[in-house]
Amino acid sequence: MRANCWTGKQSVEVRDVPDPTILNRRDAIVKITSTAICGSDLHLYNGFIPTMREGDVLGHEFMGEIVETGPGVDNLSVGDRVVVPFPIACGVCGACERGLTSLCENSNPNAGIAEKLMGHSPAALFGYSHMLGGYPGGQAEYARVPFADFGALKVESDLPDEKVLFLSDIFPTGYMGADMAEVGPGDVVAVWGCGPVGQFAIASCFLRGADRVIAVDRVDHRLQLARETGAETLDYEQVSVPEALAEMTGGRGPDKCIDAVGMEAHHANGALHAYDRTKQAVGLETERPHVLREAIMSCANGGIVSVIGVYGGVVDKFPMGSFMNRYLTMRAGQCHVHRYMPKLLEHIRNGDIDPSFVISHRLPLDRAPEGYRTFVEKADGCEKVVLTP
């Protein structure tokens, strides 16, 4: 089959690779009909996630048709149309029973690697390093789905791929950002990052009744898309974000702050940006936590900071004094996609949201390298790239 493979820093290549096969009773094989490039894939592309190997199949946002099932899969049949969550979860461990499916205790065969970096291992992810399982991803013609009886969500034939594909990751991730922040009626929320996850965080805040959402970015087409969703916007290259947020909220700051950027944050302050880039280069930190610092310093006293942007290791100059003295709460995590998929599918069915609004580019799988370059450069108005095998 054809698959998009990681071949080194800022290098991907579509290759012929072996077809996937059933390995365990609860496996299924999915013929992929739509897949996508995620902002998290760019961390792999840019070389910030360790334990990648040349030839690894990328991609964790995909859906398609069941073409084969293992003998332990009794709720799916050949021909069923499914969306696959990006965390791989067994459904029966202690974490899964509590709905914490991105922390599944059984899916990562390489848990020991993750434990050395993080203390404990999260769940395995599709196409996202050997530290997180080494499973081939979904930017391919076919994919093996472990624990398919728990993970694969059946969807109706009348809903086109583009309306349901993002249930695999970015729609639930954006929604979980709002959920962890306990966004509700009357809240003023600031969202850093107007990429696809940030756009779904903004939309989710409004779905949950937020009074105002203030979106922070520097890319014109992303800020425009946020405005079309109903957000007020700030270009961080034009204003001091903490000062602007204070002014817009009567000096209090936003009730809730959502970091939808993560480890590769850019900062308008060239000296501060260079400081973090230098520390990354010499291995003294692994992230650029400008947004995290800014969200903490900007949040209202007693507020909540919700982190859905991906971080991979250690940060420097964490403003612990601000965090502790102002009774802030922080929640963070890879999304428990399985928990949110059914509810968000109902929102789609009811017409509350059409997730395809983030799609800017549609390409065949063989043009995946072009899609990665366009996405990482934010060129040609790129917001989200969907690939069709």
Side-chain angles (χ1 to χ4, degrees):
M1 70 172 184
R2 301 288 282 165
N4 187 46
C5 301
W6 187 87
T7 51
K9 184 176 179 180
Q10 295 189 334
S11 175
V12 297
E13 181 181 320
V14 179
R15 295 178 170 180
D16 290 319
V17 303
D19 291 347
T21 58
I22 297 290
L23 299 180
N24 295 301
R25 291 177 53 82
R26 297 175 63 192
D27 286 352
I29 305 298
V30 173
K31 180 180 180 181
I32 295 168
T33 55
S34 293
T35 183
I37 303 172
C38 181
S40 300
D41 289 325
L42 302 185
H43 302 321
L44 302 173
Y45 185 75
N46 288 326
F48 287 106
I49 302 296
T51 70
M52 291 295 294
R53 299 177 187 168
E54 195 269 339
D56 284 346
V57 178
L58 296 170
H60 56 266
E61 298 180 350
F62 62 96
M63 65 175 294
E65 179 183 323
I66 299 287
V67 294
E68 187 179 358
T69 61
V73 179
D74 58 8
N75 61 338
L76 297 172
S77 302
V78 171
D80 283 346
R81 190 161 166 258
V82 295
V83 180
V84 180
F86 78 90
I88 301 171
C90 71
V92 297
C93 69
C96 287
E97 286 182 345
R98 290 181 289 151
L100 307 178
T101 53
S102 73
L103 303 177
C104 176
E105 298 161 1
N106 290 325
S107 64
N108 187 359
N110 301 328
I113 302 175
E115 288 164 2
K116 290 178 181 178
L117 180 63
M118 304 181 194
H120 299 275
S121 176
L125 309 181
F126 285 103
Y128 216 81
S129 82
H130 291 266
M131 173 179 69
L132 296 176
Y135 291 91
Q139 289 169 9
E141 293 179 309
Y142 294 87
R144 169 184 164 243
V145 179
F147 307 115
D149 55 328
F150 178 68
L153 178 73
K154 285 193 284 189
V155 292
E156 296 88 342
S157 59
D158 63 328
L159 291 171
D161 278 18
E162 291 187 353
K163 282 195 174 185
V164 293
L165 171 62
F166 302 134
L167 289 170
S168 62
D169 178 359
I170 55 173
F171 187 10
T173 296
Y175 191 89
M176 183 166 136
D179 188 31
M180 289 193 300
E182 300 180 7
V183 172
D187 278 338
V188 177
V189 186
V191 177
W192 277 258
C194 294
V197 168
Q199 299 292 347
F200 281 117
I202 293 164
S204 297
C205 288
F206 285 124
L207 281 174
R208 293 173 61 93
D211 186 42
R212 298 169 66 196
V213 179
I214 304 165
V216 182
D217 207 298
R218 64 169 175 158
V219 181
D220 288 341
H221 67 265
R222 293 185 169 190
L223 291 168
Q224 177 58 36
L225 190 57
R227 286 191 289 271
E228 291 171 4
T229 305
E232 304 161 62
T233 59
L234 293 174
D235 181 338
Y236 67 80
E237 291 191 328
Q238 304 299 320
V239 299
S240 164
V241 172
E243 291 178 6
L245 289 173
E247 183 176 346
M248 295 169 78
T249 58
R252 294 181 62 251
D255 303 296
K256 315 291 171 61
C257 293
I258 299 175
D259 172 359
V261 179
M263 66 167 64
E264 290 190 73
H266 175 267
H267 199 284
N269 182 326
L272 184 58
H273 187 67
Y275 168 85
D276 276 311
R277 289 300 294 263
T278 301
K279 293 206 75 170
Q280 277 187 317
V282 298
L284 294 178
E285 69 174 338
T286 56
E287 341 284 294
R288 300 197 295 270
H290 310 309
V291 165
L292 185 60
R293 297 177 187 131
E294 204 164 72
I296 290 169
M297 298 296 287
S298 300
C299 195
N301 287 347
I304 300 175
V305 177
S306 172
V307 183
I308 50 176
V310 171
Y311 288 87
V314 294
V315 303
D316 190 21
K317 289 185 166 44
F318 183 88
M320 189 64 198
S322 173
F323 184 75
M324 181 268 171
N325 284 286
R326 298 193 300 109
Y327 190 61
L328 298 181
T329 297
M330 181 185 294
R331 297 192 178 105
Q334 291 283 7
C335 185
H336 309 306
V337 176
H338 305 67
R339 177 196 295 184
Y340 295 104
M341 289 174 86
K343 178 177 183 176
L344 298 181
L345 179 58
E346 282 300 313
H347 277 300
I348 296 168
R349 284 196 192 108
N350 294 338
D352 301 326
I353 186 170
D354 179 354
S356 66
F357 79 96
V358 299
I359 301 172
S360 59
H361 290 66
R362 299 166 175 85
L363 298 172
L365 178 64
D366 279 341
R367 291 174 63 188
E370 174 190 338
Y372 269 78
R373 289 191 297 271
T374 302
F375 196 6
V376 78
E377 294 168 4
K378 303 177 181 65
D380 190 29
C382 186
E383 182 71 21
K384 185 68 175 180
V385 181
V386 171
L387 304 171
T388 305

